[in-house]
Every structure is written in C-alpha cells, then in structure tokens.
Amino acid sequence: MNVGVAHSEVNPNTRVMNSRGMWLTYALAVGMLHIVLLSIPFFSVPVAWTLTNVIHNLGMYVFLHAVKGTPFETPDQGKARLLTHWEQLDYGVQFTSSRKFFTISPIILYFLTSFYTKYDPTHFILNTASLLTVLIPKLPQLHGVRIFGINKY
C-alpha cells in the first residue's frame, strides 16, 4: 500500500507553476520584497531596486536551476531526481506559457531596475550579471546540460 501517492500526475512537480493564481502570487511576492527593501531607511531607491533584482534572481536560480529532484514519490523510476525544476517544468516541453512567463519576468524586472537606477555603471553591471545567471540556464540548448559537471549528481 502506497500512502500519500494518490495523485493523478506522473510528477506533480511539473504542474505547480501552471496552477491557478501562481503567476499573481509570484508577482505579488516580488512586489512585497521590493516594498520591504524600500522601507529600510538607509537603502536608497537604486540600492533597493538592485537588491530586489539580485535577491529575486538568486532565489530563482536556486529554486529553478540548482535544486534537483521532486518532493513527491514519482513512478518514473528516478528520472525526476536527476532533473532541475526548470527541466521538469511542463515535462520538458519548450516555450510553454509558464516557461515564457518565468523567462520574461526577470527581464522586465531588469528593465525596471535599470531605469530606476538611472543606468549607473555599478548597478548596471551587477544587474546584468544577475540577469545572465538566470537567463542562460533557461536556454533550450542547455536542457539537461551540466557545465563542467556542476550539479551532475
């Protein structure tokens, strides 16, 4: 008897980003992070925007591209434990609405951050490096690729 595996999905981890209200919750969480950072008295507006962008991208990188496996028991004979959440998303199908949303959202945040920091060179370099760390792993050519063997096991 398998207790706790009464779900209809082969891997429920793949459908969580498509669930109702997930995109709104995501956007509200990023907005709340920014409001909290703006409320800290000794942070200027450009610093708060840069921190919002960097913290968002760091969290997105860890959650989507570094952590592998699934918290659910899956009947796929261990295939999901070798994949990151991004690789499991929509069963690996490229260019779905969820993948597009989670690719465009850091770009929009980057544009907002660049505008509100007035394209200051220091902030611009930090934000660009942060953006590249979350955009490069999302490329279809890097699906399942482990560069230099990082995160192989």
Side-chain angles (χ1 to χ4, degrees), residues 36-90:
V36 166
L37 290 173
L38 275 175
S39 68
I40 298 174
F42 54 87
F43 284 166
S44 64
V45 172
V47 169
W49 273 103
T50 298
L51 282 175
T52 302
N53 188 35
V54 170
I55 291 170
H56 166 266
N57 289 344
L58 179 67
M60 181 177 266
Y61 178 79
V62 168
F63 180 67
L64 291 179
H65 303 294
V67 176
K68 292 168 49 176
T70 177
F72 309 103
E73 184 175 339
T74 58
D76 64 358
Q77 298 181 353
K79 292 178 185 173
R81 73 177 178 82
L82 299 174
L83 300 174
T84 64
H85 191 81
W86 180 258
E87 294 163 347
Q88 294 176 37
L89 189 63
D90 296 328

